[in-house]
Amino acid sequence: VVLGSAGAAREPRGREPGPGAGIEGLIAPPRQQAPAAQAPRVLELTADEAVRLAIENNLGVQIARFEPRIEDLNIAQARAGWAPAFTSSFQTASSDQPSTNFLTGAQGLSVNTDRVLSNIGLAQTLPWGGDYEIGWTSSRLASNEQFQPFSARLNSTLAFTYTQSLLRGFGIDSIRQQLQIGEKNRDNGDIALRETLASTSRTVRNAYWNLAFARESLGVQQQSLELARESLRNTQARIEIGTLPPIDVVEAESEVALREEAVIVAQASIATAEDALRALILDPASPDFWSVRLDTAGAPPFEPIMVDVDAAIRNALDRRTDLAQTRTTIETAD
């Protein structure tokens, strides 16, 4: 905006100030410079480094890591059925009753009786189906009756009991069943974690090479655009010297427009591929999650490999995670 002098009309935008505008019309107010935008951080990765970041930061991998830990707690809970249980109790009671006849022989007008009972015990179920109990009980009785031989009587009892069924629970019982099922589920948790790691690694590598392909494709489209522009310039030069009719420039301009559209589409493909890879390997809680730029390092190596079909089938039967999970599920059902 060009400001005029006091009392003078402002000059229209885009025109030079008139001769009567004064020095104020030639000087624009100072504009405050905006702070320079910080350049985004560029993270150049290899395919293996991208997989390593995904294993550390991918949410699906972090969730899969909890499954084996949960099964470890279930196994510990099943083993708790064999843990010894310690019990103890303490009771006390006191009674004061009036003396109803002289046969009680109580000192005073009432009969006082104090009782104390304590018990400690240990019980445990054994892994082979038996169980035992050990208990120690002691009591103390005190009374003021004259006919009692002792003012306080102490009793104690030690008891030990062991029970072993001959057939019931000999081969399997509920605790061993829960333990074995927990161990099978723990194996399934490990297999599921390996499956998640393999699937994430495959997905990350595909996304990585998709980004590399998108960048190379942009270079090809830019080269095609330069060739189309060069062809347009040649066509215009031939039209000027009269070797081509003017109508031919329309076809050349159309080709340039198509190549420009292809460049825009290629740039959008790079952004889409970069976002897909970013979501797989970076931590969403990171402050620069959306600002960091990802770049690929090098082209994929080309190594021709001869495939042994029989060996590949044996390898699949031995190492495929879905088959391993199915086997473990069958063993759990058995």
Side-chain angles (χ1 to χ4, degrees):
V1 177
V2 181
L3 300 179
S5 60
R10 295 185 181 181
E11 292 292 334
R13 183 179 299 178
R15 295 183 182 178
E16 293 294 330
I23 189 65
E24 293 86 352
L26 300 177
I27 301 177
R31 180 178 299 175
Q32 184 178 2
Q33 294 183 353
Q38 185 177 3
R41 182 169 64 95
V42 179
L43 184 60
E44 186 175 359
L45 299 170
T46 62
D48 294 336
E49 291 173 347
V51 172
R52 179 180 56 81
L53 286 177
I55 293 176
E56 294 177 356
N57 301 321
N58 188 266
L59 295 179
V61 175
Q62 295 180 13
I63 293 173
R65 285 174 175 165
F66 282 104
E67 188 63 27
R69 301 178 186 177
I70 294 174
E71 297 303 332
D72 286 339
L73 295 178
N74 291 334
I75 292 175
Q77 183 179 6
R79 291 184 181 276
W82 293 332
F86 178 78
T87 59
S88 63
S89 63
F90 179 82
Q91 299 177 4
T92 179
S94 179
S95 63
D96 191 358
Q97 299 178 353
S99 179
T100 58
N101 54 69
F102 68 94
L103 296 177
T104 57
Q107 297 178 358
L109 300 178
S110 61
V111 178
N112 298 326
T113 304
D114 296 326
R115 296 181 179 86
V116 178
L117 179 65
S118 63
N119 175 270
I120 58 174
L122 182 67
Q124 182 182 9
T125 299
L126 301 175
W128 52 84
D131 58 80
Y132 68 87
E133 293 183 7
I134 301 176
W136 173 272
T137 303
S138 60
S139 63
R140 180 180 184 275
L141 176 64
S143 178
N144 63 348
E145 295 183 10
Q146 293 295 328
F147 295 104
Q148 294 290 343
F150 302 99
S151 61
R153 290 180 296 173
L154 299 176
N155 293 324
S156 61
T157 304
L158 175 64
F160 175 78
T161 304
Y162 178 80
T163 304
Q164 176 66 59
S165 300
L166 295 179
L167 296 178
R168 181 181 180 182
F170 181 76
I172 190 69
D173 55 19
S174 60
I175 298 178
R176 280 178 283 183
Q177 179 192 14
Q178 294 177 4
L179 178 61
Q180 293 180 12
I181 291 178
E183 292 174 348
K184 295 298 179 183
N185 292 336
R186 178 64 166 81
D187 295 338
N188 262 342
D190 290 338
I191 297 172
L193 177 58
R194 293 201 305 269
E195 182 180 9
T196 302
L197 291 174
S199 176
T200 302
S201 175
R202 180 178 65 251
T203 305
V204 168
R205 291 184 184 275
N206 289 338
Y208 179 89
W209 294 122
N210 286 340
L211 177 59
F213 170 78
R215 293 191 181 280
E216 295 296 330
S217 178
L218 176 61
V220 173
Q221 299 302 331
Q222 289 175 342
Q223 292 178 3
S224 299
L225 176 60
E226 291 299 326
L227 292 176
R229 288 174 177 173
E230 182 66 25
S231 177
L232 176 60
R233 288 191 292 269
N234 293 336
T235 301
Q236 291 174 344
R238 292 182 181 182
I239 291 174
E240 291 177 357
I241 63 177
T243 58
L244 288 177
I247 193 63
D248 289 350
V249 73
V250 177
E251 181 180 358
E253 290 176 348
S254 175
E255 185 66 22
V256 171
L258 289 176
R259 299 305 177 185
E260 289 177 347
E261 179 186 7
V263 169
I264 296 174
V265 172
Q267 291 174 345
S269 299
I270 291 177
T272 302
E274 190 175 1
D275 289 342
L277 182 60
R278 177 185 291 109
L280 290 171
I281 67 174
L282 297 183
D283 184 7
S286 177
D288 60 347
F289 178 76
W290 291 109
S291 61
V292 64
R293 297 287 305 276
L294 302 178
D295 196 5
T296 57
F302 177 73
E303 297 178 0
I305 299 176
M306 298 299 296
V307 177
D308 186 353
V309 178
D310 295 334
I313 293 175
R314 289 194 300 269
N315 187 32
L317 293 176
D318 293 337
R319 301 181 60 182
R320 280 188 64 92
T321 54
D322 52 351
L323 294 178
Q325 284 183 326
T326 303
R327 295 191 190 98
T328 308
T329 302
I330 294 175
E331 293 174 358
T332 302
D334 291 339

